[in-house]
Amino acid sequence: MSYCPNTPEDIREMLAAIGVASVDALFAPIPAGLRARSFALPDGTSEQELLRQMKQLAGTDRPVTGFIGGGYYDHYIPAVVDHLSGRAEFYTAYTPYQPECSQGTLQALFEYQTAICRLTGMEVSNASLYDGGTALAEAAMMALRVTGRNRLVIDGSVNPFSREIVRTYLTNLGVEIVEIPARDGLADRPALTAALTDLTAAVILQNPNFFGSVEDLSDIALTAHANGALLIASVYPISLGLVKSPGAMGADIVVGDGQSLGNPLSFGGPSFGFIATTKKYIRNLPGRIIGETVDKSGRRGFVLTLQAREQHIKRHKATSNICSNQSLCALRGMIFLASVGKEGLVDLARLNRDKAEYAKGLLGSIKGVKLLNTAPTFNEFTIVLPKDAAEVAERLLGKGVAAGVPLGAYYHGMDNCLVVTVTEKRTRDEIDALAKELEGAL
Amino acid sequence: MKLIYEKSVKGRRGLKLPAGDVPRAADLPADLLREEPAGLPEVSEMDLVRHYTNLSRRNFSVDTNFYPLGSCTMKYNAKIIENTSALFAGSHPMTPLLPGGEAFTQGSLALLHGMGELLAEITGMDEVSCQPLAGAHGEMTGIMLIAAYHRAKGNRKKYVIVPDSSHGTNPASAAMVGYEIITIPSAPYGDMDLDAFRAAMNSEVAAVMMTCPNTLGLFNPHIKEICDIAHEHDALMYYDGANLNAILGKVRPGDVGFDVIHVNLHKTFGTPHGGGGPGSGPVGVKKALIPFLPTPRVIKKGDGDFALEKVNSRSIGRMANFFGNFGVMAKAYAYILMLGREGLIEVSEQAVLNANYMMAQLKDHFDLPYDKSCMHECVFSASRQLKHGVHAIDIAKYLIDRGYHPPTVYFPLNVKEAIMIEPTETESKETMDAFIAVMKEAAAMAEKNPEALHEAPLTMPVSRLDETKAAREQNVCFGPW
């Protein structure tokens, strides 16, 4: 089946108007020798059959009770998020290049930018990037542009996937990336300071970090600034209900993944990345930016602004190659934040922390289990098991419990470590069951 | 309309959270605590629903208005594909990365692998990575693959060639990977100037990025020759798949000689644009480039199970946190399965028929710089209207008043006052006829009453906005707070 409405009669009339004998004649500009050698696709199907087939495929996935994060978090999505973002006027609209007929998208994204600024304690935000990892890479490239330097210092407790994206993005650009291994799950301050030189464009950290530890980065911001470098902080937005904002800690560029703000896990995408900075760096921000203005009669309106930075104007001199962002996911993030609200985000963050603290107490008291460090945590923490965490995690997974992320694959010498995540969706019973299963597996 | 922040009332709540079923934890240490809650809106759910419902009504969209928008294939987005992607919404992307976790996500992995196979067959490539998150991200990935290929061979390359009619993302993506750009002008016949290309080609060129049909909607008859010339210099051919909607089942870029391709699932494969994303930009490659594909890579094992290849020392590495915009892929996968072989061929045939019909009906009223059979889109110029002081943007704004999203204007850059129209295959003859009548009306008005066009649009919530003020004041965040 297809969604082509023209009838044979329509087609005859159209061919006559064009002055050709057949549809095939319209493909005459394609040299005969270049025609497709194969197009071996299945026959089409109906909605009903398609749905059956897709249900069967989705049914092959086996459900697990998840205590896993790694940048993606299983948070509750308020019903209004799906209903409002699913409005076809948002869903099937194009990039808002024509502002008069796109005020819906533009105003919603302006509200989103405002929410990101307020959440992160920064002055300006763009209208979203692809995801948290690519946002970190864009932030790194932005810092290189701003400072004109070519060296980055990155803390080892930044999400390993995001660090890998930064490395991949910069492979061909002759940038030196210095990774400073974390010490006991915390930023190694003396080593970070020692790594700073007058060529360092930025120090990159994550808070809470990959091990779950929460730190005040203010001192590192001061050290970085004293060396003429920027501080880039990657943050988990839900944690900002409780944790001091990166802006208050002195960060110059703040990024993160917006999945936790109303976007489903959906096997890793789509979500959105956010990026926020201070006013003085706005011209170096990548991606779309929405700005407020007025029309001829003085009515408030919103437009894509500072487009002269972008690829469709600047081509190879643009600040980034980004064209589409993740508008709809950012809209979902905005609706999520407005639904949860100012006090609600504090309560939600507290609920996450309460559950995680309960789990931490329970798991930490199992014989032979230790906590990686005594640093405060938000809704993730790392435990050290008396044996290989991968083995234990696999055994628990067999029972339908994804107990956490074993660190051996990502950190040398941390084979016994497991990062456990507890969101507000996990119940006390599930946490108790996790503790029981873990104890049994040791 | 007020901002949601201006509707905020202290103490008002929306979502009700569950009561805690565990003891309250001690507070974080004071030096880590936020001083003030973030200034998010405080609104009831009713306020919230009304606000965003009314905002949505200030948008044009495919479901409400015809979008004859060149270069971005705004076709109908089938509703069933939303239902199918929702089936996978709860799947955590860390699961398959856990020890033994692949067994728990065989359905999702099968979909990713199947998507790659379908796209490989459609484009004539040997393997497809679904990791890139958008078209431009796919371009960047593709150019990185090309850089890795050259590095592995010890080739010293520093240039990427693009035609002047290319999408801005092409040179921008190549520049992000560190290449210098050589821009080739278009010849009077509308395609990249073959002689200029030959003259520019040298052993330091890493890649040639082409869109075929190009942004003028023209299929380059010399495309094979261009591929051959590039290959003689061990330069690779990059195919920008933005215009793939024109050639499904007719031409496969891989057969022609292209080495790398990205496709835009949100264009050709019917997934919604969402007001500017999420997109999805899978990248297809020929055999020689497979070793460099991003990790983790989805593979099918001998026993028929799906697995992730997580480590590969030759890979360019990771381009996204996980496996790509899976939810978008689930929709495109459903779309391809539903249309099938014949349906996809019909897509291109009808898209090309509609574009040629549009061109035939309007070419007496607007200048047509390249008057020959087009593919899925055609590019007019408002140069005739400019004699009366009417620009392409004035016509665009008039169309808004008449209920149409404007065509793409001022692109491609090599056409003065460009008006680029791509009707797509999902529009009927009646819809196009009505649009054609309005375009003719605009052309007549340009002669008789040009002033009226300068005032448009008058029917929208706002008239033309002061973009200079926006750029000067840079008010991008509502405050103070």
Side-chain angles (χ1 to χ4, degrees):
Chain A
M1 73 171 292
S2 78
Y3 295 92
C4 301
N6 287 325
T7 64
E9 182 56 30
D10 291 333
I11 293 169
R12 267 195 299 280
E13 286 175 25
M14 288 162 71
L15 288 171
I18 298 165
V20 294
S22 67
V23 170
D24 214 38
L26 296 171
F27 289 86
I30 302 176
L34 299 186
R35 291 303 182 99
R37 288 181 204 151
S38 164
F39 202 60
L41 298 173
D43 288 338
T45 182
S46 66
E47 268 199 31
Q48 191 180 326
E49 289 158 318
L50 173 75
L51 194 57
R52 188 187 312 138
Q53 193 180 340
M54 294 291 282
K55 274 184 178 163
Q56 199 174 5
L57 193 61
T60 322
D61 282 350
R62 288 155 61 187
V64 293
T65 307
F67 292 92
I68 45 178
Y72 256 54
Y73 297 94
D74 185 18
H75 289 291
Y76 179 72
I77 299 174
V80 283
V81 175
D82 275 339
H83 282 274
L84 293 174
S85 71
R87 292 273 305 182
E89 297 92 331
F90 286 131
Y91 216 89
T92 68
Y94 179 54
T95 305
Y97 288 120
Q98 300 288 342
E100 300 89 349
C101 59
S102 312
Q103 283 301 300
T105 293
L106 287 162
Q107 182 173 330
L109 290 175
F110 181 82
E111 293 174 352
Y112 158 85
Q113 289 176 180
T114 303
I116 294 299
C117 289
R118 293 180 176 197
L119 207 53
T120 56
M122 303 301 285
E123 293 170 335
V124 298
S125 156
N126 80 355
S128 77
L129 294 170
Y130 303 135
D131 70 5
T134 59
L136 190 65
E138 289 282 357
M141 292 179 87
M142 183 177 152
L144 299 169
R145 278 196 300 278
V146 164
T147 59
R149 298 174 171 190
N150 77 337
R151 194 162 189 264
L152 295 167
V153 175
I154 185 163
D155 176 35
S157 59
V158 171
N159 182 312
F161 302 151
S162 300
R163 275 186 282 130
E164 195 183 336
I165 296 170
V166 173
R167 280 198 300 272
T168 306
Y169 262 58
L170 298 175
T171 305
N172 303 289
L173 301 182
V175 176
E176 189 192 351
I177 303 175
V178 186
E179 279 199 17
I180 306 295
R183 185 190 280 264
D184 299 327
L186 294 167
D188 185 340
R189 284 167 165 75
L192 282 171
T193 307
L196 280 169
T197 73
D198 56 5
L199 294 176
T200 307
V203 182
I204 303 176
L205 291 124
Q206 179 178 316
N207 198 37
N209 69 22
F210 195 68
F211 309 109
S213 306
V214 181
E215 292 187 75
D216 187 352
L217 309 178
S218 306
D219 58 323
I220 302 177
L222 287 175
T223 314
H225 294 159
N227 282 274
L230 306 187
L231 175 69
I232 299 174
S234 172
V235 294
Y236 173 13
I238 300 289
S239 75
L240 296 178
L242 285 180
V243 178
K244 189 196 277 188
S245 76
M249 293 182 188
D252 301 282
I253 308 174
V254 178
V255 298
D257 201 298
Q259 179 273 328
S260 58
L261 305 174
N263 285 285
L265 295 167
S266 192
F267 210 51
S271 72
F272 66 91
F274 56 86
I275 185 165
T277 185
T278 53
K279 264 206 157 154
K280 64 179 166 187
Y281 300 134
I282 190 170
R283 286 185 186 277
N284 278 294
L285 258 184
R288 308 283 191 213
I289 301 174
I290 315 300
E292 182 186 324
T293 186
V294 293
D295 74 357
K296 285 180 181 169
S297 342
R299 287 176 292 195
R300 179 169 66 186
F302 302 92
V303 292
L304 290 169
T305 194
L306 299 175
Q307 292 190 66
R309 303 165 296 113
E310 292 186 57
Q311 49 76 25
H312 61 286
I313 312 272
K314 267 284 185 62
R315 297 176 72 84
H316 63 279
K317 295 202 173 100
T319 53
S320 165
N321 66 335
I322 284 181
C323 179
S324 69
N325 50 37
Q326 303 282 113
S327 267
L328 193 81
C329 304
L331 171 71
R332 292 180 68 96
M334 181 61 223
I335 297 169
F336 175 90
L337 288 170
S339 168
V340 172
K342 182 178 179 177
E343 298 296 337
L345 188 71
V346 180
D347 296 344
L348 176 62
R350 192 165 281 151
L351 196 53
N352 273 264
R353 187 169 135 79
D354 289 348
K355 299 222 179 197
E357 288 296 301
Y358 175 74
K360 189 159 78 172
L362 218 52
L363 302 186
S365 62
I366 294 172
K367 190 165 176 283
V369 176
K370 288 186 310 185
L371 297 174
L372 177 66
N373 60 32
T374 56
T377 55
F378 172 57
N379 72 353
E380 288 183 286
F381 54 90
T382 301
I383 52 177
V384 187
L385 306 180
K387 58 201 239 193
D388 189 277
E391 250 172 62
V392 175
E394 185 163 8
R395 194 159 147 205
L396 265 61
L397 192 59
K399 299 184 172 189
V401 182
V405 177
L407 289 182
Y410 309 109
Y411 291 95
H412 183 69
M414 294 188 87
D415 293 337
N416 289 9
C417 293
L418 188 73
V419 184
V420 180
T421 305
V422 191
T423 69
E424 80 285 353
K425 279 180 79 176
R426 297 286 75 81
T427 63
R428 183 177 189 148
D429 288 349
E430 286 170 341
I431 298 168
D432 291 342
L434 167 69
K436 199 162 155 254
E437 292 293 352
L438 183 66
E439 195 166 14
L442 297 179
Chain B
M1 220 175 115
K2 280 186 175 176
L3 295 167
I4 188 97
Y5 302 96
E6 294 166 316
K7 295 175 178 173
S8 181
V9 174
K10 189 169 168 46
R12 196 162 276 163
R13 303 285 287 244
L15 183 74
K16 186 175 164 57
L17 293 171
D21 57 357
V22 297
R24 253 310 278 282
D27 279 342
L28 281 169
D31 63 328
L32 293 177
L33 269 181
R34 196 176 180 111
E35 286 181 10
E36 281 276 323
L40 299 174
E42 299 184 86
V43 292
S44 69
E45 186 161 313
M46 176 81 255
D47 295 338
L48 177 69
V49 168
R50 217 165 260 161
H51 179 74
Y52 287 104
T53 302
N54 284 320
L55 265 192
S56 79
R57 294 170 67 191
R58 297 184 153 215
N59 261 7
F60 276 14
S61 65
V62 171
D63 281 12
T64 52
N65 304 78
F66 176 30
Y67 262 74
L69 186 76
S71 150
C72 227
T73 315
M74 294 294 287
K75 60 170 74 175
Y76 170 64
N77 310 129
K79 299 302 171 195
I80 183 67
I81 64 176
E82 301 304 325
N83 300 28
T84 55
S85 71
L87 298 169
F88 298 86
S91 191
H92 198 295
M94 277 307 289
T95 309
L97 298 165
L98 299 175
E102 286 155 349
F104 285 78
T105 55
Q106 285 297 299
S108 299
L109 292 174
L111 192 151
L112 277 174
H113 191 266
M115 186 70 195
E117 288 199 319
L118 289 171
L119 292 175
E121 177 63 19
I122 289 169
T123 59
M125 292 290 168
D126 293 317
E127 186 165 326
V128 171
S129 165
C130 290
Q131 203 178 83
L133 301 170
H137 200 222
E139 289 177 15
M140 191 178 159
T141 306
I143 296 297
M144 281 188 177
L145 293 167
I146 288 170
Y149 165 88
H150 288 309
R151 203 165 38 242
K153 287 185 82 174
N155 289 347
R156 298 169 74 86
K157 305 274 192 178
K158 59 190 246 202
Y159 301 107
V160 165
I161 287 183
V162 300
D164 64 356
S165 65
S166 73
H167 296 114
T169 49
N170 291 180
S173 299
M176 290 265 286
V177 185
Y179 285 110
E180 289 176 39
I181 309 301
I182 300 173
T183 305
I184 309 292
S186 297
Y189 48 85
D191 296 308
M192 180 167 80
D193 189 311
L194 198 55
D195 293 329
F197 168 67
R198 243 193 227 105
M201 196 64 217
N202 65 67
S203 63
E204 286 192 304
V205 174
V208 181
M209 298 180 87
M210 300 282 290
T211 314
C212 187
N214 68 7
T215 54
L216 293 165
L218 303 175
F219 192 92
N220 191 327
H222 308 295
I223 194 68
K224 178 85 175 69
E225 204 177 333
I226 291 168
C227 291
D228 291 345
I229 294 168
H231 288 154
E232 280 165 23
H233 292 84
D234 203 9
L236 298 184
M237 289 299 297
Y238 185 94
Y239 186 95
D240 172 347
N243 295 341
L244 195 67
N245 210 49
I247 56 165
L248 296 168
K250 301 293 180 187
V251 180
R252 301 193 312 164
D255 296 342
V256 175
F258 283 92
D259 304 288
V260 186
I261 180 175
H262 85 265
V263 297
N264 303 79
L265 300 185
H266 51 292
K267 296 181 182 179
T268 311
F269 299 103
T271 69
H273 273 65
S280 174
V283 163
V285 296
K286 288 286 181 61
K287 247 186 205 79
L289 291 149
I290 291 176
F292 309 111
L293 284 172
T295 48
R297 170 173 168 241
V298 186
I299 49 172
K300 191 173 185 174
K301 295 191 295 189
D303 61 5
D305 282 356
F306 299 96
L308 289 171
E309 182 190 76
K310 300 179 193 99
V311 183
N312 163 13
S313 61
R314 300 181 74 193
S315 161
I316 59 166
R318 194 182 278 262
M319 284 299 290
N321 273 38
F322 294 104
F323 323 109
N325 277 341
F326 182 87
V328 180
M329 272 174 274
K331 293 173 197 184
Y333 182 75
Y335 175 85
I336 294 170
L337 290 188
M338 192 160 52
L339 268 67
R341 182 181 185 277
E342 295 304 320
L344 288 177
I345 292 172
E346 193 187 355
V347 162
S348 288
E349 289 182 344
Q350 294 295 311
V352 170
L353 174 65
N354 279 358
N356 277 282
Y357 179 69
M358 196 72 94
M359 187 170 79
Q361 299 294 54
L362 286 175
K363 68 181 186 183
D364 292 341
H365 306 270
F366 292 89
D367 283 349
L368 185 63
Y370 303 99
D371 186 5
K372 48 185 173 180
S373 184
C374 69
M375 299 300 286
H376 65 302
E377 63 192 0
C378 55
V379 180
F380 293 98
S381 163
S383 50
R384 203 185 302 174
Q385 287 70 32
L386 190 58
K387 294 191 186 95
H388 308 284
V390 171
H391 290 264
I393 193 75
D394 299 317
I395 294 163
K397 299 302 183 191
Y398 176 72
L399 289 170
I400 294 177
D401 270 339
R402 300 305 308 271
Y404 295 100
H405 191 284
T408 298
V409 287
Y410 302 105
F411 186 82
L413 305 175
N414 55 335
V415 173
K416 194 176 151 195
E417 296 289 328
I419 301 177
M420 185 186 208
I421 301 179
E422 177 181 3
T424 82
E425 74 283 2
T426 57
E427 299 297 337
S428 68
K429 178 170 175 295
E430 287 92 328
T431 301
M432 289 192 293
D433 284 342
F435 173 77
I436 288 160
V438 172
M439 282 293 284
K440 289 179 182 173
E441 202 178 283
M445 273 179 80
E447 289 178 24
K448 289 179 204 134
N449 186 10
E451 274 314 302
L453 292 174
H454 294 149
E455 292 303 313
L458 295 168
T459 59
M460 293 291 109
V462 290
S463 59
R464 289 193 208 184
L465 290 152
D466 186 346
E467 302 198 5
T468 314
K469 177 182 161 72
R472 192 181 55 237
E473 295 182 359
Q474 298 171 8
N475 185 358
V476 303
C477 167
F478 179 64
W481 46 283

